[in-house]
Amino acid sequence: MVSSAVKKYAALCMVCLCSSLFFLGLYQFNNKYSQNTIQAANGILALSEEELQKSPVRFLVSGWAFYPDALLTPEEIQDESHYMRYLSIGDQTNFSSPANPSPYGCGTYQMTFFLPGRKETYALEIPEVFSAYNLYLDHDLILQMGEPAQGRPLVQNRMVTFHGGKPVTLTIAVSNYDHFYGGIVYPPAFGTMLAVNTTRGIRFAFCLFSCTVTFVCALLSFYFSRRMKQKNTFLFGLICLAMCGLSSYPVLHMLAAVPVFPWYTIELFCIYLVIWLIVVLQNRICRPGFLPAAISNGVGAAFLVYAFLYGMMASHLSLGAIRFFSASVFCYKAASALYLLIIAVLAIHRGEKRSRPIFYAAAAATCAFIWDRLLPVYEPAIGGWFVEWGSFFIAAAIGYSLWRDVVEGYGNSLIFQEERKQVIRQLSMQTEYSRQVSEAAAENRRLIHDIKHHLRTIDRMASEHGQTEICSFLLQVEEQVAASSGHAPAQFCKNPVVNALIEYYYGMAQTQGTEFQVRLDLPDQMPLTDVELCTVLGNLLDNAVEACSRQKQGVRRIFVAGETRGNMYFLKIENTYDGLAFQEGKTFLSRKGASADHGIGLSSVRKIIEGHGGDLDLVPGEESFLVGITIQMQKLFSKEHSDNIDKT
């Protein structure tokens, strides 16, 4: 017991350690703000040839010259009459100033590049800037997104190129009246055109791959939910579809310019839809009880509506409302992570099926949330944020659990179909057997009726000639004929159902010239039902007859034996074969042609035998194939003993 608990805690510690190392690795190596590169200072970025070769791509985080509350052109900046300060991207997500602490308004960013003298083509990737801007290189307007002067938003991830060899001044004039973030929220990427394009291509491929995988998972989930009538699988399909929506936004922003409304409202809705659906689905799997499930589902649904309304009213919100929503998001995510972890722990203690992977995933998601709060500013260069990775871990664990259920359900359905086939075959055999017995009995009655008439005729003829001895003999014969029951079917065992099954395969073996020997002693009561017994024997005898039919030379033989020894029942079926046996795992595959049901018969047998605590042994030899079955009869005997005591 102690050993098991120690293993569980060790596994939990290992999950927390690995997930923490994963997030720390992301922070260190996939973070735009942790790049060990030369940054701008006082609005100037000077790079040498050596520095460009060492770091062909850098993210422009610090050293921006910023003019708050003003949409300026490069010419207007030169008169030096405007208020200016230096800032770093990520320190703030708005145009805040002591006089105007709000994401709404306007501002102008500027940076001057001093690059090596050679004429190299450089590229500047501009991520989503909220929510309209003019971009100038030196004094030329080269890119416009939306109409900043009129406050008409338009957002897209764009790239501009320019040549080095002389100082280049970059000016970005931004206005925002529609989004709860304002200005340059994400640091632009600068470097050689090849390096920037490579980074963009990798990011695009990653997002497109994530979008494709989640969409395919959603389609498969909807298919299996419709096919197998599983509501959990349908909910998982909705999770995948919402995650597909999240993954598609970076792809959309790289391909097209989109307005702020309604796209960012939909993105915000998808984020909290994923969290809510995860809570709902984990409640259904871990079963915490009606009240906790109802409260958590209700809170999640209410927050989902709240987030949607927040996104709809983004252009009309005050700074206090934005801060309140940010605090609410923190509390909701923390409560959700803690709740998912707790119900997973309780599910493990109750022995709920498939709860352990979900528990470990919830622990990893909790670590993601903790590190998201403990670490400074983080933005991934490629991939998602910490909370997104945590949601992915939980969704993957839930998907794994549901997939195991689907596979198990599909396997059980195949076994059920095979058992149904065996039952139908048994019924047909019994019907045919009954018909043959009825026909034989009718024929015997007709023959006996005719023989009686013949004997009476002979008796009269003998009496007329005084042959008393003949008459006496004929009388004895007539009595014996009258007492005769006619043809009796073959008797292999006392169980009529099993006897009919064996007689069927006995006939098949005789037809193909196979010697069929039976020494089967079945007790009156077996742990297996008649259906299970016929399923086991039917599958094994079917395989034996089929194997003998493939035998090209030598004596064909099938031997069936069964007996009780103490509290154990032993069943043996041995048949000759051609020496070829295809094995996959614990079972052997059929050679009846191309079929998806290879090995299902033996899997069905194994499931039945192991379900009763028995053992199934498959022993392929050089000339014969042996199947040995051992079933414990102790439980049955104990029940009989208890019944006898009760009767006494």
Side-chain angles (χ1 to χ4, degrees), residues 393-407:
F393 291 151
I394 296 180
I398 292 175
Y400 169 77
S401 301
L402 294 178
W403 177 251
R404 290 288 301 273
D405 290 338
V406 168
V407 171

Side-chain angles (χ1 to χ4, degrees), residues 71 131-136 140-156 158 160 172-173 257:
L71 280 175
S131 52
Y133 65 90
N134 293 328
L135 189 148
Y136 302 87
D140 300 325
L141 177 64
I142 65 170
L143 179 62
Q144 183 177 33
M145 293 299 297
E147 297 181 10
Q150 287 75 29
R152 296 176 181 174
L154 205 61
V155 180
Q156 187 181 9
R158 296 293 298 271
V160 297
I172 305 176

Side-chain angles (χ1 to χ4, degrees), residues 459-498:
D459 182 67
R460 286 196 303 270
M461 294 173 63
S463 301
E464 292 175 356
H465 293 80
Q467 301 293 330
T468 57
E469 294 181 358
I470 296 177
C471 293
S472 177
F473 177 77
L474 290 174
L475 180 61
Q476 294 177 12
V477 172
E478 186 176 357
E479 291 175 353
Q480 292 179 1
V481 171
S484 176
S485 60
H487 173 72
Q491 189 74 19
F492 297 101
C493 65
K494 296 179 180 180
N495 190 314
V497 178
V498 176

